Amino acid sequence: MEISIAVAKTNKYAVSESGDTLEIVERPNGGVSVVLADGQTSGRGAKAISSMVVRKVIGLLAEGVRDGAAARAASDHLYSERAGKVTACLNILSVDLQSQTILITRNNPTPVFVARNYLVECITSASVSIGTNRNIRPTITELPLESGITIVMYTDGIRYAGDRTGNPLDICLLLESMLEDENPTSREIADNILAQAIRLDNNRPNDDMSVVVLRSVPGEFDQIRRMSVRLPVGTGYIS
Amino acid sequence: MEISIAVAKTNKYAVSESGDTLEIVERPNGGVSVVLADGQTSGRGAKAISSMVVRKVIGLLAEGVRDGAAARAASDHLYSERAGKVTACLNILSVDLQSQTILITRNNPTPVFVARNYLVECITSASVSIGTNRNIRPTITELPLESGITIVMYTDGIRYAGDRTGNPLDICLLLESMLEDENPTSREIADNILAQAIRLDNNRPNDDMSVVVLRSVPGEFDQIRRMSVRLPVGTGYIS
C-alpha cells in the first residue's frame, strides 16, 4: 500500500500573501501529518496567525505529542498571545504508522470528506475554531489505515467558492464523479477541486484557498519515500 | 518561473528506521527551505539525532532566523545535548523570495552539485559536520534566483553507494548526461540518482540514502503552490 498526499494552494486575488499555512511533517514514531491553519481575514495579519498556529502544532507533533493535545495547545497559545481576540481554523490530518490509523483532527466548521472506494461520506460534526476561549477541544475522527480510502480537506475559501455568483461548489458530487469515472491520483483530485473553485470565483479567488487530498492506494510499491514541491515565482508573489 | 523540488529517500537495507531526516518548510518572508540531516550511524539512535537537529533548524527558520545562524544554533544545541560526543551532517537548501537568492548551507563534507543549464559545478569546499565542538560554522553558497538552475544535494549513503563493489556513483556525469539528453524534471533526476545508487549497492542500500533536487524552470505558471508526498506502507516500514 502507498499513502499519497497532494496539496494545492492559491491566494486571494490581488493579495500577495496567503492567510492559509500548510506544512507536512514526519511523525517521530512513523507516518506523516498535514497541518493546515486558516487565519482570520487574509493577507499579512492572517498569515502571522496561521503560521504561529502551524509552527506550534508541528513542533509538538515532532516531539511525539498526540494530535488532539497539540491542537488544544495551539488554541491556548493563540488565546494567550492574542488575548482571545483572534481566531483561526485548524485541521490536522495524520497517518500514524504506529497505531495503523488515519486521524482527522478538526477545529474548523468546514467539513472533511472521507471516501471508502466510491462511497463518499461527509464529516460535518460541530467543530469550533481555536483561540477565542479556554477549553476549546478539537473534533477527532479515527479510521483504520487500510487501502482504498480518499480524504479531502480544505479551507473555507474553497467551501464558499461561487457563493457570490450563487453557484456554489458541490465537492461531494465532484469527488463522487471523479472516483466513479476513473482512478484519479491525489494530485488530480486536488488540482481539479482547486481549479473548479477558482473558476466559480470567476478566476479571481475571493479568499485564500487550500485543498489537501490523501489516498491510500493498494499494491506493492518500492520502499522509497517521495516528496515534491512546486512553487511559482512571479511578480508580486510572496508566499 | 517555477521552483520545483523533488526528494527521494530510502533506508539502509533491513533497517526499519532511516537515520536521515528531511523536512520542507515555508519561509516566513517568502520561499521554502529544505532541511536535511544525517545522524551518525543508522537506525533509531541516528534518527533521534537527525530529527532533533532538523526540528531545531525548522523552528528557527520559521521564526525568520537566517540559515547560517540556524545551522550554528543546531550545532550548539547538539553539542550541549550530547556533550560533544555525537555528530550529524546538516544541509539547508533555501529559496529566499525576499532576497531573490538560492542559499546552500552546508555542514557536510558531501558535495553539492549546481548546474546552470548544462554546465555542472561541484561545491566541495571544506565543511565540517555539527555537534563536536563550539564555534562550528557552516559553509554558505549564495546564488541569484534565476531560471535554468539545477541543484543536487544528497547524503553520504548515496555518495558511497557502490564503494564496496568498487563501482562508485559518478553523480556529476549522471547529471550532465541527463541534462544534455532531455529536459528532465526534478522528480526524474531524483528518482534516477536514487535508483542508480541502490543498484550499485546490489539493491540492498548500505546506508540511509536521501537525495534532493531543485530546478528553477523558466516560463509562465499558474499561481498555485503544489506539494506532494508518497509514503510506502509495508511490513516493517517505520519511517
Side-chain angles (χ1 to χ4, degrees):
Chain A
M1 178 166 68
E2 189 182 65
I3 304 297
S4 146
I5 299 170
V7 172
K9 194 163 174 281
T10 198
N11 302 357
K12 179 173 176 170
Y13 180 70
V15 173
S16 61
E17 222 163 343
S18 170
D20 294 351
T21 296
L22 190 151
E23 301 281 4
I24 302 182
V25 287
E26 203 175 270
R27 294 173 73 82
N29 299 309
V32 289
S33 292
V34 185
V35 183
L36 173 61
D38 178 2
Q40 209 174 6
T41 73
S42 59
R44 183 159 283 267
K47 183 68 191 177
I49 296 301
S50 65
S51 73
M52 183 175 80
V53 167
V54 169
R55 209 159 68 220
K56 189 72 185 170
V57 173
I58 63 176
L60 292 169
L61 294 179
E63 286 169 6
V65 172
R66 278 168 297 167
D67 298 35
R72 286 201 296 281
S75 182
D76 291 348
H77 180 55
L78 179 57
Y79 180 84
S80 304
E81 287 279 317
R82 300 299 176 113
K85 289 184 181 131
V86 174
T87 189
C89 290
L90 170 66
N91 280 341
I92 309 173
L93 174 59
S94 296
V95 176
D96 186 332
L97 296 184
Q98 196 173 39
S99 63
Q100 291 284 308
T101 55
I102 295 174
L103 273 166
I104 304 166
T105 303
R106 289 165 61 228
N107 275 114
N108 190 345
T110 302
V112 172
F113 289 95
V114 177
R116 285 184 187 77
N117 299 312
Y118 308 116
L119 190 71
V120 181
E121 265 183 280
C122 184
I123 303 179
T124 49
S125 47
S127 177
V128 291
S129 57
I130 64 171
T132 48
N133 65 63
R134 290 275 173 204
N135 303 318
I136 286 180
R137 284 169 176 278
T139 313
I140 298 179
T141 308
E142 194 169 2
L143 313 167
L145 177 56
E146 53 195 22
S147 65
I149 291 177
T150 307
I151 294 173
V152 179
M153 185 170 97
Y154 49 93
T155 54
D156 61 359
I158 290 186
R159 185 183 189 188
Y160 295 119
D163 253 26
R164 283 196 172 176
T165 54
N167 195 7
L169 183 58
D170 188 336
I171 293 184
C172 183
L173 198 70
L174 177 61
L175 182 60
E176 265 176 356
S177 72
M178 286 192 79
L179 292 173
E180 273 169 20
D181 281 0
E182 52 224 301
N183 189 19
T185 62
S186 55
R187 168 58 46 217
E188 286 163 346
I189 299 174
D191 283 352
N192 196 346
I193 291 174
L194 184 61
Q196 299 282 352
I198 293 173
R199 196 180 51 79
L200 289 174
D201 274 351
N202 295 323
N203 298 318
R204 297 181 169 194
N206 205 25
D207 193 0
D208 307 315
M209 295 178 168
S210 305
V211 57
V212 181
V213 177
L214 179 149
R215 296 206 80 189
S216 55
V217 184
E220 285 291 311
F221 291 87
D222 55 18
Q223 288 298 299
I224 296 172
R225 290 177 80 134
R226 292 177 172 86
M227 195 166 8
S228 307
V229 172
R230 285 169 55 197
L231 172 72
V233 179
T235 334
Y237 193 92
I238 297 186
S239 80
Chain B
M1 177 167 71
E2 189 181 64
I3 303 297
S4 148
I5 299 169
V7 172
K9 193 164 175 281
T10 198
N11 302 357
K12 179 173 177 171
Y13 180 71
V15 173
S16 62
E17 223 163 341
S18 170
D20 295 350
T21 296
L22 189 149
E23 301 282 4
I24 302 182
V25 287
E26 204 175 272
R27 294 173 73 82
N29 299 309
V32 291
S33 292
V34 185
V35 183
L36 173 61
D38 178 2
Q40 209 173 8
T41 73
S42 59
R44 183 159 283 267
K47 183 68 190 178
I49 295 302
S50 66
S51 73
M52 183 175 80
V53 167
V54 168
R55 209 159 68 221
K56 189 72 184 171
V57 173
I58 64 176
L60 291 169
L61 294 179
E63 286 170 6
V65 172
R66 277 168 297 167
D67 298 36
R72 286 200 297 279
S75 182
D76 291 348
H77 181 55
L78 178 57
Y79 180 84
S80 304
E81 287 280 317
R82 300 300 176 112
K85 288 182 182 132
V86 174
T87 189
C89 291
L90 170 67
N91 281 340
I92 310 173
L93 174 58
S94 295
V95 176
D96 186 331
L97 297 185
Q98 197 175 36
S99 63
Q100 291 284 310
T101 55
I102 295 174
L103 272 166
I104 304 166
T105 303
R106 289 164 62 228
N107 275 114
N108 191 345
T110 302
V112 172
F113 289 96
V114 176
R116 285 183 186 79
N117 300 312
Y118 309 115
L119 189 71
V120 181
E121 266 181 280
C122 184
I123 304 179
T124 49
S125 47
S127 177
V128 291
S129 58
I130 63 170
T132 47
N133 64 64
R134 291 274 173 204
N135 302 318
I136 287 179
R137 283 168 179 278
T139 312
I140 298 179
T141 308
E142 193 168 3
L143 313 167
L145 177 57
E146 52 194 22
S147 65
I149 291 176
T150 306
I151 294 173
V152 178
M153 186 170 97
Y154 49 93
T155 54
D156 62 358
I158 290 186
R159 185 184 189 187
Y160 296 117
D163 253 26
R164 283 195 174 176
T165 55
N167 195 6
L169 183 58
D170 188 336
I171 293 186
C172 184
L173 197 70
L174 178 61
L175 182 59
E176 265 176 355
S177 73
M178 286 192 79
L179 291 174
E180 274 169 20
D181 281 0
E182 53 224 302
N183 188 18
T185 62
S186 55
R187 168 59 45 218
E188 286 162 347
I189 298 173
D191 283 352
N192 195 346
I193 290 174
L194 184 62
Q196 299 282 353
I198 293 173
R199 195 179 52 79
L200 289 174
D201 274 351
N202 295 323
N203 298 318
R204 297 181 169 194
N206 205 25
D207 192 0
D208 308 315
M209 295 179 169
S210 305
V211 56
V212 181
V213 177
L214 179 148
R215 295 207 80 189
S216 55
V217 185
E220 285 290 310
F221 291 88
D222 55 17
Q223 287 299 300
I224 296 173
R225 290 177 81 132
R226 293 178 171 85
M227 192 161 17
S228 306
V229 171
R230 285 169 55 196
L231 174 72
V233 180
T235 333
Y237 192 93
I238 297 185
S239 80

